[in-house]
Amino acid sequence: MLLEIQDIYGGYGGRDVVRGVSCQADAGDILCLLGPNGCGKTTLFRLVLGALPIRRGSVRIDGREVSSLPPRALANLAAYIPQSHRPVFAYTVLEVVTMGRASHFSAFEAPGTVDRDAAFAALEKLHAAHLANRNYAALSGGQRQLVLIARAICQNAGVFLMDEPAASLDYANHQLLMDVVRELAGQGYCVLLSTHGPEDPVSVADKALLLREGQAVAFGKAKEVITPQALEAVYGMEMDVLTVHDRYGAERTICLPVKKP
């Protein structure tokens, strides 16, 4: 198993925000984290990335304990993709993507030809090579997300942690991003994706982890754990989970809040 999270506890200032959470995902898997604001999704990411100490339990990536890894070694295993990024300087897209190679050379070295080639190859994987010489700051939100994903690919990590990457995107770009996530899984990456959309797990994910107040409400195959009962436990409101077919016959799942008349 590429990513193993076992009964972890951790948080800030001695207070456990995440309590007793366990889940697993392998190469080619998409694992969606679902839950309300403040439920511990971002804290869980920080624990996995070693940015916060794990008070109890363990996180292993490719069989290696995260808490025992130096930052450079961990960066070669896991890449973080934030929901937004506002640059200070007018970097080109190729320069931003090349920054993903930072863990592959020392602080006193400049990126070389091999690093720029790797950055361009990462953009090509996402069909975004035409953006290479554009000003990153001038891109749309959807284009920036593609660039941040390319930077993660350039990092050469096997696990991607995507923290609500569609939060600031319009509906069309949201759908495009989900298509990219599917492509990444098809290329063998393990994707851990947090979202506010209850349809996302059953639309794109193999597995889902539902969180509330730092604890797991359910974990398992997405289509099995996204139920009206589980969503009500997470969000504190009644919800229906409906299966429909689109105009081309593809099965789709819709989650709707409901109220008694």
mmCIF file of all heavy atoms in Angstrom, residues 99-134:
data_model
loop_
_atom_site.group_PDB
_atom_site.id
_atom_site.type_symbol
_atom_site.label_atom_id
_atom_site.label_comp_id
_atom_site.label_asym_id
_atom_site.label_seq_id
_atom_site.Cartn_x
_atom_site.Cartn_y
_atom_site.Cartn_z
ATOM 1 N N MET A 99 10.255 24.947 -10.148
ATOM 2 C CA MET A 99 10.445 24.995 -8.694
ATOM 3 C C MET A 99 10.135 23.651 -8.043
ATOM 4 O O MET A 99 10.611 23.358 -6.944
ATOM 5 C CB MET A 99 9.551 26.080 -8.087
ATOM 6 C CG MET A 99 9.965 27.490 -8.458
ATOM 7 S SD MET A 99 8.786 28.726 -7.832
ATOM 8 C CE MET A 99 9.375 30.212 -8.656
ATOM 9 N N GLY A 100 9.333 22.823 -8.713
ATOM 10 C CA GLY A 100 9.061 21.491 -8.192
ATOM 11 C C GLY A 100 10.289 20.602 -8.128
ATOM 12 O O GLY A 100 10.283 19.570 -7.447
ATOM 13 N N ARG A 101 11.345 21.006 -8.809
ATOM 14 C CA ARG A 101 12.589 20.225 -8.809
ATOM 15 C C ARG A 101 13.511 20.591 -7.646
ATOM 16 O O ARG A 101 14.616 20.056 -7.537
ATOM 17 C CB ARG A 101 13.341 20.456 -10.127
ATOM 18 C CG ARG A 101 12.601 19.993 -11.371
ATOM 19 C CD ARG A 101 12.620 18.502 -11.518
ATOM 20 N NE ARG A 101 13.971 17.981 -11.668
ATOM 21 C CZ ARG A 101 14.270 16.690 -11.666
ATOM 22 N NH1 ARG A 101 13.309 15.782 -11.492
ATOM 23 N NH2 ARG A 101 15.521 16.282 -11.816
ATOM 24 N N ALA A 102 13.076 21.488 -6.771
ATOM 25 C CA ALA A 102 13.951 22.014 -5.714
ATOM 26 C C ALA A 102 14.549 20.927 -4.830
ATOM 27 O O ALA A 102 15.682 21.057 -4.355
ATOM 28 C CB ALA A 102 13.188 23.024 -4.861
ATOM 29 N N SER A 103 13.805 19.842 -4.618
ATOM 30 C CA SER A 103 14.327 18.788 -3.743
ATOM 31 C C SER A 103 15.364 17.915 -4.439
ATOM 32 O O SER A 103 15.951 17.026 -3.808
ATOM 33 C CB SER A 103 13.176 17.896 -3.242
ATOM 34 O OG SER A 103 12.544 17.235 -4.328
ATOM 35 N N HIS A 104 15.615 18.176 -5.720
ATOM 36 C CA HIS A 104 16.542 17.348 -6.490
ATOM 37 C C HIS A 104 17.910 18.007 -6.692
ATOM 38 O O HIS A 104 18.779 17.423 -7.322
ATOM 39 C CB HIS A 104 15.930 16.993 -7.847
ATOM 40 C CG HIS A 104 14.686 16.165 -7.729
ATOM 41 N ND1 HIS A 104 14.703 14.791 -7.646
ATOM 42 C CD2 HIS A 104 13.376 16.524 -7.655
ATOM 43 C CE1 HIS A 104 13.467 14.341 -7.541
ATOM 44 N NE2 HIS A 104 12.643 15.370 -7.543
ATOM 45 N N PHE A 105 18.064 19.255 -6.201
ATOM 46 C CA PHE A 105 19.388 19.878 -6.254
ATOM 47 C C PHE A 105 19.592 20.721 -5.001
ATOM 48 O O PHE A 105 18.634 21.018 -4.277
ATOM 49 C CB PHE A 105 19.590 20.717 -7.531
ATOM 50 C CG PHE A 105 18.473 21.691 -7.824
ATOM 51 C CD1 PHE A 105 18.407 22.918 -7.204
ATOM 52 C CD2 PHE A 105 17.489 21.365 -8.756
ATOM 53 C CE1 PHE A 105 17.396 23.822 -7.480
ATOM 54 C CE2 PHE A 105 16.471 22.262 -9.035
ATOM 55 C CZ PHE A 105 16.428 23.486 -8.410
ATOM 56 N N SER A 106 20.819 21.090 -4.711
ATOM 57 C CA SER A 106 21.131 21.785 -3.464
ATOM 58 C C SER A 106 20.743 23.258 -3.544
ATOM 59 O O SER A 106 20.477 23.797 -4.623
ATOM 60 C CB SER A 106 22.626 21.670 -3.157
ATOM 61 O OG SER A 106 23.373 22.536 -3.986
ATOM 62 N N ALA A 107 20.757 23.896 -2.368
ATOM 63 C CA ALA A 107 20.384 25.309 -2.285
ATOM 64 C C ALA A 107 21.358 26.202 -3.031
ATOM 65 O O ALA A 107 21.036 27.353 -3.349
ATOM 66 C CB ALA A 107 20.294 25.735 -0.826
ATOM 67 N N PHE A 108 22.554 25.705 -3.325
ATOM 68 C CA PHE A 108 23.576 26.514 -3.991
ATOM 69 C C PHE A 108 23.633 26.250 -5.497
ATOM 70 O O PHE A 108 24.456 26.819 -6.200
ATOM 71 C CB PHE A 108 24.949 26.226 -3.362
ATOM 72 C CG PHE A 108 24.989 26.507 -1.884
ATOM 73 C CD1 PHE A 108 24.932 25.469 -0.970
ATOM 74 C CD2 PHE A 108 25.045 27.813 -1.406
ATOM 75 C CE1 PHE A 108 24.945 25.728 0.396
ATOM 76 C CE2 PHE A 108 25.067 28.072 -0.054
ATOM 77 C CZ PHE A 108 25.018 27.036 0.859
ATOM 78 N N GLU A 109 22.737 25.387 -5.972
ATOM 79 C CA GLU A 109 22.702 25.079 -7.399
ATOM 80 C C GLU A 109 21.531 25.792 -8.059
ATOM 81 O O GLU A 109 20.511 26.077 -7.422
ATOM 82 C CB GLU A 109 22.546 23.575 -7.618
ATOM 83 C CG GLU A 109 23.752 22.747 -7.237
ATOM 84 C CD GLU A 109 23.502 21.270 -7.484
ATOM 85 O OE1 GLU A 109 22.588 20.716 -6.853
ATOM 86 O OE2 GLU A 109 24.215 20.684 -8.306
ATOM 87 N N ALA A 110 21.676 26.062 -9.335
ATOM 88 C CA ALA A 110 20.582 26.599 -10.140
ATOM 89 C C ALA A 110 19.995 25.456 -10.963
ATOM 90 O O ALA A 110 20.702 24.492 -11.277
ATOM 91 C CB ALA A 110 21.095 27.703 -11.061
ATOM 92 N N PRO A 111 18.714 25.535 -11.304
ATOM 93 C CA PRO A 111 18.132 24.495 -12.146
ATOM 94 C C PRO A 111 18.899 24.367 -13.463
ATOM 95 O O PRO A 111 19.300 25.373 -14.058
ATOM 96 C CB PRO A 111 16.702 24.997 -12.388
ATOM 97 C CG PRO A 111 16.434 25.952 -11.286
ATOM 98 C CD PRO A 111 17.744 26.585 -10.951
ATOM 99 N N GLY A 112 19.104 23.144 -13.893
ATOM 100 C CA GLY A 112 19.822 22.899 -15.134
ATOM 101 C C GLY A 112 18.894 22.472 -16.249
ATOM 102 O O GLY A 112 17.664 22.489 -16.112
ATOM 103 N N THR A 113 19.488 22.060 -17.347
ATOM 104 C CA THR A 113 18.711 21.642 -18.512
ATOM 105 C C THR A 113 17.799 20.466 -18.180
ATOM 106 O O THR A 113 16.640 20.428 -18.604
ATOM 107 C CB THR A 113 19.657 21.242 -19.664
ATOM 108 O OG1 THR A 113 20.471 22.361 -19.992
ATOM 109 C CG2 THR A 113 18.867 20.814 -20.889
ATOM 110 N N VAL A 114 18.306 19.511 -17.382
ATOM 111 C CA VAL A 114 17.494 18.351 -17.039
ATOM 112 C C VAL A 114 16.256 18.760 -16.245
ATOM 113 O O VAL A 114 15.173 18.170 -16.404
ATOM 114 C CB VAL A 114 18.341 17.317 -16.251
ATOM 115 C CG1 VAL A 114 18.785 17.881 -14.896
ATOM 116 C CG2 VAL A 114 17.574 16.024 -16.065
ATOM 117 N N ASP A 115 16.381 19.804 -15.403
ATOM 118 C CA ASP A 115 15.243 20.273 -14.603
ATOM 119 C C ASP A 115 14.212 20.983 -15.476
ATOM 120 O O ASP A 115 13.007 20.775 -15.327
ATOM 121 C CB ASP A 115 15.733 21.206 -13.497
ATOM 122 C CG ASP A 115 16.753 20.535 -12.597
ATOM 123 O OD1 ASP A 115 16.429 19.488 -12.023
ATOM 124 O OD2 ASP A 115 17.881 21.058 -12.485
ATOM 125 N N ARG A 116 14.692 21.803 -16.391
ATOM 126 C CA ARG A 116 13.758 22.492 -17.298
ATOM 127 C C ARG A 116 13.071 21.499 -18.233
ATOM 128 O O ARG A 116 11.883 21.649 -18.539
ATOM 129 C CB ARG A 116 14.494 23.572 -18.084
ATOM 130 C CG ARG A 116 14.829 24.814 -17.243
ATOM 131 C CD ARG A 116 15.391 25.931 -18.099
ATOM 132 N NE ARG A 116 16.744 25.625 -18.538
ATOM 133 C CZ ARG A 116 17.830 25.899 -17.836
ATOM 134 N NH1 ARG A 116 17.725 26.477 -16.648
ATOM 135 N NH2 ARG A 116 19.030 25.601 -18.294
ATOM 136 N N ASP A 117 13.806 20.468 -18.654
ATOM 137 C CA ASP A 117 13.191 19.437 -19.491
ATOM 138 C C ASP A 117 12.105 18.687 -18.723
ATOM 139 O O ASP A 117 11.043 18.364 -19.275
ATOM 140 C CB ASP A 117 14.253 18.439 -19.979
ATOM 141 C CG ASP A 117 15.169 19.036 -21.039
ATOM 142 O OD1 ASP A 117 14.837 20.119 -21.573
ATOM 143 O OD2 ASP A 117 16.215 18.423 -21.323
ATOM 144 N N ALA A 118 12.369 18.415 -17.448
ATOM 145 C CA ALA A 118 11.382 17.729 -16.617
ATOM 146 C C ALA A 118 10.143 18.595 -16.426
ATOM 147 O O ALA A 118 9.008 18.095 -16.436
ATOM 148 C CB ALA A 118 11.991 17.375 -15.263
ATOM 149 N N ALA A 119 10.343 19.914 -16.272
ATOM 150 C CA ALA A 119 9.214 20.842 -16.110
ATOM 151 C C ALA A 119 8.371 20.883 -17.383
ATOM 152 O O ALA A 119 7.134 20.856 -17.321
ATOM 153 C CB ALA A 119 9.729 22.234 -15.771
ATOM 154 N N PHE A 120 9.027 20.930 -18.511
ATOM 155 C CA PHE A 120 8.288 20.971 -19.772
ATOM 156 C C PHE A 120 7.527 19.656 -19.987
ATOM 157 O O PHE A 120 6.377 19.666 -20.445
ATOM 158 C CB PHE A 120 9.249 21.227 -20.935
ATOM 159 C CG PHE A 120 8.558 21.694 -22.186
ATOM 160 C CD1 PHE A 120 8.167 23.018 -22.333
ATOM 161 C CD2 PHE A 120 8.290 20.807 -23.221
ATOM 162 C CE1 PHE A 120 7.515 23.452 -23.482
ATOM 163 C CE2 PHE A 120 7.637 21.228 -24.371
ATOM 164 C CZ PHE A 120 7.249 22.557 -24.502
ATOM 165 N N ALA A 121 8.152 18.536 -19.627
ATOM 166 C CA ALA A 121 7.487 17.235 -19.762
ATOM 167 C C ALA A 121 6.258 17.154 -18.861
ATOM 168 O O ALA A 121 5.233 16.568 -19.240
ATOM 169 C CB ALA A 121 8.474 16.113 -19.422
ATOM 170 N N ALA A 122 6.344 17.754 -17.655
ATOM 171 C CA ALA A 122 5.200 17.769 -16.744
ATOM 172 C C ALA A 122 4.041 18.566 -17.334
ATOM 173 O O ALA A 122 2.880 18.152 -17.243
ATOM 174 C CB ALA A 122 5.617 18.346 -15.393
ATOM 175 N N LEU A 123 4.348 19.693 -17.948
ATOM 176 C CA LEU A 123 3.308 20.486 -18.605
ATOM 177 C C LEU A 123 2.691 19.720 -19.766
ATOM 178 O O LEU A 123 1.473 19.770 -19.989
ATOM 179 C CB LEU A 123 3.893 21.814 -19.101
ATOM 180 C CG LEU A 123 4.185 22.859 -18.020
ATOM 181 C CD1 LEU A 123 5.029 23.999 -18.591
ATOM 182 C CD2 LEU A 123 2.879 23.419 -17.443
ATOM 183 N N GLU A 124 3.510 19.010 -20.503
ATOM 184 C CA GLU A 124 2.999 18.225 -21.633
ATOM 185 C C GLU A 124 2.038 17.140 -21.162
ATOM 186 O O GLU A 124 1.050 16.836 -21.839
ATOM 187 C CB GLU A 124 4.154 17.601 -22.414
ATOM 188 C CG GLU A 124 4.915 18.597 -23.289
ATOM 189 C CD GLU A 124 5.970 17.928 -24.140
ATOM 190 O OE1 GLU A 124 6.624 16.986 -23.630
ATOM 191 O OE2 GLU A 124 6.143 18.347 -25.305
ATOM 192 N N LYS A 125 2.311 16.544 -19.991
ATOM 193 C CA LYS A 125 1.424 15.521 -19.446
ATOM 194 C C LYS A 125 0.016 16.051 -19.233
ATOM 195 O O LYS A 125 -0.963 15.299 -19.291
ATOM 196 C CB LYS A 125 1.975 15.003 -18.108
ATOM 197 C CG LYS A 125 2.931 13.836 -18.224
ATOM 198 C CD LYS A 125 3.165 13.214 -16.854
ATOM 199 C CE LYS A 125 4.032 11.968 -16.971
ATOM 200 N NZ LYS A 125 4.196 11.281 -15.669
ATOM 201 N N LEU A 126 -0.077 17.348 -18.943
ATOM 202 C CA LEU A 126 -1.377 17.974 -18.662
ATOM 203 C C LEU A 126 -1.898 18.748 -19.866
ATOM 204 O O LEU A 126 -2.850 19.529 -19.735
ATOM 205 C CB LEU A 126 -1.244 18.913 -17.456
ATOM 206 C CG LEU A 126 -0.839 18.237 -16.145
ATOM 207 C CD1 LEU A 126 -0.633 19.264 -15.056
ATOM 208 C CD2 LEU A 126 -1.877 17.212 -15.711
ATOM 209 N N HIS A 127 -1.254 18.558 -21.021
ATOM 210 C CA HIS A 127 -1.654 19.261 -22.248
ATOM 211 C C HIS A 127 -1.613 20.777 -22.044
ATOM 212 O O HIS A 127 -2.474 21.511 -22.541
ATOM 213 C CB HIS A 127 -3.060 18.825 -22.687
ATOM 214 C CG HIS A 127 -3.288 17.336 -22.612
ATOM 215 N ND1 HIS A 127 -2.636 16.445 -23.436
ATOM 216 C CD2 HIS A 127 -4.057 16.590 -21.777
ATOM 217 C CE1 HIS A 127 -3.010 15.206 -23.129
ATOM 218 N NE2 HIS A 127 -3.866 15.270 -22.122
ATOM 219 N N ALA A 128 -0.607 21.230 -21.285
ATOM 220 C CA ALA A 128 -0.496 22.653 -20.951
ATOM 221 C C ALA A 128 0.844 23.238 -21.370
ATOM 222 O O ALA A 128 1.239 24.299 -20.886
ATOM 223 C CB ALA A 128 -0.704 22.844 -19.449
ATOM 224 N N ALA A 129 1.550 22.571 -22.272
ATOM 225 C CA ALA A 129 2.870 23.056 -22.686
ATOM 226 C C ALA A 129 2.789 24.426 -23.355
ATOM 227 O O ALA A 129 3.748 25.207 -23.308
ATOM 228 C CB ALA A 129 3.520 22.057 -23.641
ATOM 229 N N HIS A 130 1.635 24.744 -23.940
ATOM 230 C CA HIS A 130 1.473 26.045 -24.610
ATOM 231 C C HIS A 130 1.509 27.214 -23.620
ATOM 232 O O HIS A 130 1.649 28.369 -24.025
ATOM 233 C CB HIS A 130 0.159 26.074 -25.395
ATOM 234 C CG HIS A 130 -1.064 25.928 -24.523
ATOM 235 N ND1 HIS A 130 -1.444 24.718 -23.968
ATOM 236 C CD2 HIS A 130 -1.980 26.839 -24.106
ATOM 237 C CE1 HIS A 130 -2.549 24.888 -23.260
ATOM 238 N NE2 HIS A 130 -2.887 26.164 -23.321
ATOM 239 N N LEU A 131 1.397 26.910 -22.315
ATOM 240 C CA LEU A 131 1.428 27.965 -21.295
ATOM 241 C C LEU A 131 2.839 28.266 -20.805
ATOM 242 O O LEU A 131 3.039 29.191 -20.016
ATOM 243 C CB LEU A 131 0.572 27.554 -20.087
ATOM 244 C CG LEU A 131 -0.919 27.301 -20.315
ATOM 245 C CD1 LEU A 131 -1.555 26.773 -19.030
ATOM 246 C CD2 LEU A 131 -1.614 28.560 -20.788
ATOM 247 N N ALA A 132 3.837 27.522 -21.246
ATOM 248 C CA ALA A 132 5.181 27.553 -20.656
ATOM 249 C C ALA A 132 5.762 28.950 -20.495
ATOM 250 O O ALA A 132 6.369 29.266 -19.466
ATOM 251 C CB ALA A 132 6.128 26.675 -21.468
ATOM 252 N N ASN A 133 5.592 29.800 -21.485
ATOM 253 C CA ASN A 133 6.212 31.132 -21.449
ATOM 254 C C ASN A 133 5.259 32.235 -20.992
ATOM 255 O O ASN A 133 5.635 33.408 -21.005
ATOM 256 C CB ASN A 133 6.801 31.472 -22.822
ATOM 257 C CG ASN A 133 7.944 30.547 -23.195
ATOM 258 O OD1 ASN A 133 8.799 30.255 -22.376
ATOM 259 N ND2 ASN A 133 7.935 30.060 -24.432
ATOM 260 N N ARG A 134 4.061 31.838 -20.560
ATOM 261 C CA ARG A 134 3.094 32.828 -20.077
ATOM 262 C C ARG A 134 3.459 33.297 -18.675
ATOM 263 O O ARG A 134 4.111 32.582 -17.903
ATOM 264 C CB ARG A 134 1.685 32.211 -20.061
ATOM 265 C CG ARG A 134 1.103 31.896 -21.431
ATOM 266 C CD ARG A 134 0.375 33.063 -22.025
ATOM 267 N NE ARG A 134 -0.688 33.551 -21.172
ATOM 268 C CZ ARG A 134 -1.933 33.031 -21.154
ATOM 269 N NH1 ARG A 134 -2.244 32.003 -21.948
ATOM 270 N NH2 ARG A 134 -2.864 33.539 -20.368
#
